[in-house]
């Protein structure tokens, strides 16, 4: 059986485009915190938003951050990308285009978790911390445990 070179090249091209569009997203997020706590501990750590070269992120885009235990939402905070960047204390220029305002510079913007969700653990169990920028399908879920004294 002979496969023509054009078909192979086409297949490789389609595969490349599929991987590119599945993996591409505007901005990235990193969540740094302990995976175990004890009763009486505060939720602490860092939430880091990373803008890379070529990103164009609308400053009005909403971010949702929530703390969940046993499928029950304990705390939720909704803020914009702009509010998050302001909380980080970092400066970034805004570009006006397409009737909106966008961040297009590379940068790293970190905010302490307790500035976003002020919570002290009072029950043992399994918890989840959820971060989402739904408009660009940027989601992260971290599970962790709270133990007794």
């Amino acid at each position: 059986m002979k496969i023509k070179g054009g078909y192979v090249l086409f297949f490789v091209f389609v595969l490349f485009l599929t991987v590119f569009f599945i993996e591409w997203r505007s901005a990235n997020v990193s969540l740094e915190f302990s995976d175990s706590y004890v009763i009486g501990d505060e939720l602490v750590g860092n939430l880091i938003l990373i803008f890379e070269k070529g990103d164009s992120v609308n400053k009005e885009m909403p971010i949702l951050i929530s703390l969940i235990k046993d499928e029950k939402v304990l705390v939720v905070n909704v803020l914009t990308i702009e509010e998050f960047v302001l909380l980080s204390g970092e400066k970034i220029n805004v570009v006006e285009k397409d009737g909106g305002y966008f961040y297009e510079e590379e940068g790293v913007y970190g905010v302490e978790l307790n500035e976003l969700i002020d919570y002290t653990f009072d029950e043992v169990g399994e918890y989840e911390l959820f971060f989402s920028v739904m408009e660009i399908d940027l989601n992260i879920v971290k599970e962790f445990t709270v133990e007794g004294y």
Side-chain angles (χ1 to χ4, degrees), residues 34-47:
S34 175
D35 59 354
S36 67
Y37 292 87
V38 295
I39 291 177
D41 285 349
E42 291 183 13
L43 179 65
V44 294
N46 292 307
L47 184 59

Side-chain angles (χ1 to χ4, degrees), residues 47-52 84 88 90 92 105-110:
L47 184 59
I48 301 167
L49 196 55
I50 304 161
F51 299 153
E52 298 175 347
F84 187 92
S88 78
E90 301 293 327
I92 186 171
E105 293 178 12
E106 293 179 68
V108 177
Y109 308 92

Side-chain angles (χ1 to χ4, degrees), residues 1-13:
M1 182 167 121
K2 185 176 180 183
I3 299 176
K4 302 217 178 204
Y7 290 118
V8 172
L9 185 59
F10 176 74
F11 177 76
V12 169
F13 178 72

Side-chain angles (χ1 to χ4, degrees), residues 91-102:
K91 303 283 186 202
I92 186 171
N93 292 322
V94 177
V95 175
E96 183 177 1
K97 69 177 192 181
D98 301 327
Y101 296 92
F102 295 80

Side-chain angles (χ1 to χ4, degrees), residues 53-111:
K53 185 176 182 178
D55 287 347
S56 183
V57 180
N58 187 323
K59 73 176 196 162
E60 297 302 321
M61 206 176 296
I63 296 173
L64 179 126
I65 305 160
S66 62
L67 181 64
I68 302 164
K69 180 182 184 293
D70 300 327
E71 298 182 14
K72 178 183 171 194
V73 176
L74 302 174
V75 182
V76 66
N77 187 3
V78 178
L79 65 159
T80 64
I81 296 279
E82 178 182 36
E83 291 169 322
F84 187 92
V85 169
L86 289 171
L87 281 172
S88 78
E90 301 293 327
K91 303 283 186 202
I92 186 171
N93 292 322
V94 177
V95 175
E96 183 177 1
K97 69 177 192 181
D98 301 327
Y101 296 92
F102 295 80
Y103 296 126
E104 296 189 340
E105 293 178 12
E106 293 179 68
V108 177
Y109 308 92
V111 176

